[in-house]
Amino acid sequence: EAGVAQSPRYKIIEKRQSVAFWCNPISGHATLYWYQQILGQGPKLLIQFQNNGVVDDSQLPKDRFSAERLKGVDSTLKIQPAKLEDSAVYLCASKLLAGAFDEQFFGPGTRLTVL
Amino acid sequence: GQQLNQSPQSMFIQEGEDVSMNCTSSSIFNTWLWYKQEPGEGPVLLIALYKAGELTSNGRLTAQFGITRKDSFLNISASIPSDVGIYFCAGNDGGTSYGKLTFGQGTILTVHP
């Protein structure tokens, strides 16, 4: 079974530029998450989708971050404009069930460096 | 918001030694999980705990869900070089978001052969 795919793996941009990350979850997984992991910290949830609807985006900085999951499959996370403090690894995770607790599977992440 | 305090922050041990790390919370969690993350990869689930007082093993790993539901422990016995990585605890409070996890800061484990 293929795992969670993310691209690109690395991205370097200058502050005030825009950037987008892509995630393809495990086939059939209803729930998709985007996490931000700053160096030396644990992952922090940014947004959770159930199918193509947003369940929780309380920690998403909505003035600059946006995310969508069209057709309830793959997802994109965008930052516009980027700030220095956005330098982090952006992890995507998915899980099979929508309305119950089960294991989340993480992708390898996209490492963003903002100069 | 919820916070998890994980300790120690880092450990340097010799191959064959046992390792213990713990995680405490200011609030109650219904589920505790332990993950391992290696460089360039996402976290991988090691052990999940669903009941207060539960003790669960996975090979050389043993984890416990604290009775107060505010803490959890992970032990690794007879460490080997491939145990190197960052270990994270995570908790789920059972809210309506089903699966929202709060992570600790991580414990960096280095094993010297």
Side-chain angles (χ1 to χ4, degrees):
Chain A
E1 178 182 81
V4 177
Q6 291 189 246
S7 68
R9 292 297 311 272
Y10 305 91
K11 190 73 177 180
I12 300 174
I13 62 173
E14 295 190 347
K15 59 183 179 184
R16 291 188 288 273
Q17 286 187 322
S18 301
V19 65
F21 313 128
W22 175 80
C23 171
N24 191 18
I26 294 172
S27 178
H29 279 200
T31 306
L32 185 149
Y33 306 84
W34 283 102
Y35 289 86
Q36 180 192 58
Q37 186 176 21
I38 293 172
L39 186 65
Q41 298 182 18
K44 183 186 85 170
L45 180 69
L46 292 175
I47 189 167
Q48 176 184 349
F49 292 94
Q50 231 160 258
N51 298 307
N52 60 347
V54 175
V55 174
D56 185 343
D57 63 357
S58 57
Q59 298 189 93
L60 187 74
K62 298 180 187 65
D63 57 334
R64 298 184 299 107
F65 286 64
S66 64
E68 59 182 11
R69 191 185 184 198
L70 299 176
K71 301 179 182 177
V73 182
D74 56 353
S75 176
T76 55
L77 176 69
K78 296 179 182 178
I79 308 175
Q80 180 179 15
K83 293 185 175 181
L84 296 177
E85 59 261 36
D86 298 332
S87 293
V89 174
Y90 290 84
L91 295 163
C92 180
S94 70
K95 72 180 187 75
L96 178 64
L97 302 177
F101 184 85
D102 60 332
E103 182 178 352
Q104 294 182 29
F105 294 86
F106 286 82
T110 296
R111 182 176 295 277
L112 173 67
T113 302
V114 182
L115 303 176
Chain B
Q2 295 169 328
Q3 284 189 320
L4 294 185
N5 295 308
Q6 193 171 342
S7 65
Q9 283 189 306
S10 61
M11 303 182 74
F12 298 83
I13 63 170
Q14 290 292 129
E15 183 177 359
E17 290 183 358
D18 296 343
V19 171
S20 291
M21 58 190 79
N22 68 80
C23 200
T24 59
S25 169
S26 57
S27 54
I28 289 172
F29 286 106
N30 287 344
T31 305
W32 282 93
L33 307 113
W34 286 92
Y35 286 84
K36 180 186 178 186
Q37 187 174 28
E38 299 186 20
E41 301 295 331
V44 174
L45 182 64
L46 299 173
I47 292 180
L49 303 156
Y50 300 103
K51 187 177 175 183
E54 180 181 353
L55 186 71
T56 297
S57 293
N58 178 7
R60 294 178 295 104
L61 277 62
T62 301
Q64 184 161 24
F65 190 143
I67 292 291
T68 65
R69 294 165 63 195
K70 292 184 177 182
D71 57 6
S72 180
F73 305 87
L74 176 70
N75 295 316
I76 305 173
S77 62
S79 59
I80 58 178
S82 62
D83 289 335
V84 166
I86 306 176
Y87 291 79
F88 290 99
C89 61
N92 172 257
D93 63 5
T96 56
S97 61
Y98 293 115
K100 178 177 179 178
L101 297 179
T102 301
F103 281 82
Q105 312 98 307
T107 294
I108 301 171
L109 179 63
T110 303
V111 180
H112 294 287

